[in-house]
Amino acid sequence: MNLREKYGIPANAVITIAGTVGVGKSTMTKALANALNFRTSFEKVDSNPYLDKFYDDFEKWSFHLQIYFLAERFKEQKRIFEYGGGFIQDRSIYEDTGIFAKMHEEKGTMSKIDYETYKNLFDAMVMTPYFPHPDLLIYLEGPIEDILSRIEERGRPMEQQTPKDYWYEMHGRYENWIDSFNACPVLRLDINDYDLMKNPDTVEVIVERISHFMEQTSHLRRK
């Protein structure tokens, strides 16, 4: 009996992992997919035609980049549900609007008109009863100092060159976003409670928490 059957996780469940850079979204995605015998859904960065242009000129390309992300994530969400579920998803469609597009608008790297157009499109596509929202969003959180240590440990050049102020801002924006997020049930996990890199067996404790949480939220929704 695998962990999915042991803890009664539905075979068609869709679970999304969210959180700022460095919290371990990819590690959590792979570990849960292996434990539950689910497929994975990762962001496709290499084929993005706007990314290089965006880094050269934020103001000119931020709107194009966000529209591209919205379209790609929408198609991926549709594909997952047409497949019948059974997926762990790295990063959600909601973060682009609630964090990144909003940040560009506030900092002046996206015009207010473009932001409103983007937000209206997002709401029409995603914030409706017809959009297949995940069964659960797992939000990985932790102190910014611990997240910065993880970023330094993995040593990705682009992240090492990014000013620490940016990571502090992202951490704050993610915390504000998740506090008001209500598109689907949210299970918050502290990254210091479960170190999957050092102790992969803790994935069973996470699966057990997911099972209890899904039972509770499904009970509440039935009321």
Side-chain angles (χ1 to χ4, degrees):
M1 180 184 291
N2 63 30
L3 291 183
R4 185 192 66 74
E5 294 168 333
K6 180 178 179 180
Y7 291 102
I9 307 290
N12 63 347
V14 176
I15 298 171
T16 297
I17 314 297
T20 191
V21 171
V23 290
K25 293 187 296 295
S26 297
T27 301
M28 180 70 73
T29 298
K30 292 171 188 172
L32 284 178
N34 288 335
L36 300 175
N37 197 24
F38 277 10
R39 292 171 176 80
T40 57
S41 172
F42 287 98
E43 185 178 53
K44 298 178 181 68
V45 176
D46 294 340
S47 58
N48 190 322
Y50 292 108
L51 215 49
D52 290 340
K53 293 182 175 69
F54 166 74
Y55 282 114
D56 287 339
D57 191 335
F58 284 0
E59 289 184 35
K60 185 175 180 180
W61 296 106
S62 63
F63 177 73
H64 301 75
L65 181 70
Q66 293 302 144
I67 291 293
Y68 178 85
F69 275 135
L70 177 58
E72 290 301 303
R73 293 197 207 285
F74 186 87
K75 287 190 291 184
E76 180 66 4
Q77 201 76 5
K78 188 167 173 284
R79 181 185 76 87
I80 286 171
F81 279 84
E82 285 175 347
Y83 204 96
F87 274 83
I88 307 294
Q89 189 176 31
D90 182 349
R91 197 185 284 276
S92 74
I93 195 170
Y94 312 103
E95 290 156 81
D96 280 326
T97 293
I99 297 167
F100 295 100
K102 187 176 180 183
M103 179 178 69
H104 285 302
E105 190 269 333
E106 289 176 358
K107 288 181 173 293
T109 50
M110 183 186 292
S111 73
K112 293 189 181 298
I113 293 172
D114 282 349
Y115 178 72
E116 285 303 314
T117 299
Y118 169 78
K119 184 73 166 56
N120 288 338
L121 183 60
F122 175 88
D123 289 346
M125 291 171 66
V126 177
M127 303 310 290
T128 74
Y130 312 106
F131 180 78
H133 297 282
D135 298 287
L136 176 67
L137 185 142
I138 296 176
Y139 179 69
L140 301 180
E141 61 186 349
I144 182 60
E145 292 76 16
D146 296 337
I147 293 169
L148 286 172
S149 296
R150 290 185 174 208
I151 290 172
E152 287 170 12
E153 279 176 22
R154 69 184 185 185
R156 293 177 182 172
M158 191 172 166
E159 293 174 358
Q160 304 304 311
Q161 294 160 15
T162 303
K164 284 189 177 180
D165 286 351
Y166 176 81
W167 301 127
Y168 276 96
E169 180 178 0
M170 276 292 106
H171 185 263
R173 285 183 179 273
Y174 262 94
E175 291 294 296
N176 290 336
W177 167 73
I178 200 64
D179 284 343
S180 59
F181 179 82
N182 58 10
C184 68
V186 176
L187 172 61
R188 300 172 78 135
L189 297 181
D190 191 309
I191 59 172
N192 291 315
D193 291 341
Y194 311 98
D195 195 333
L196 290 167
M197 297 292 284
K198 293 179 182 174
N199 187 5
D201 290 341
T202 56
V203 72
E204 181 164 359
V205 182
I206 297 169
V207 170
E208 187 175 10
R209 279 199 65 183
I210 290 169
S211 173
H212 290 322
F213 187 79
M214 290 181 81
E215 283 177 16
Q216 289 175 341
T217 53
S218 64
H219 174 69
L220 289 173
R221 287 198 298 269
R222 283 196 298 267
K223 281 189 173 182

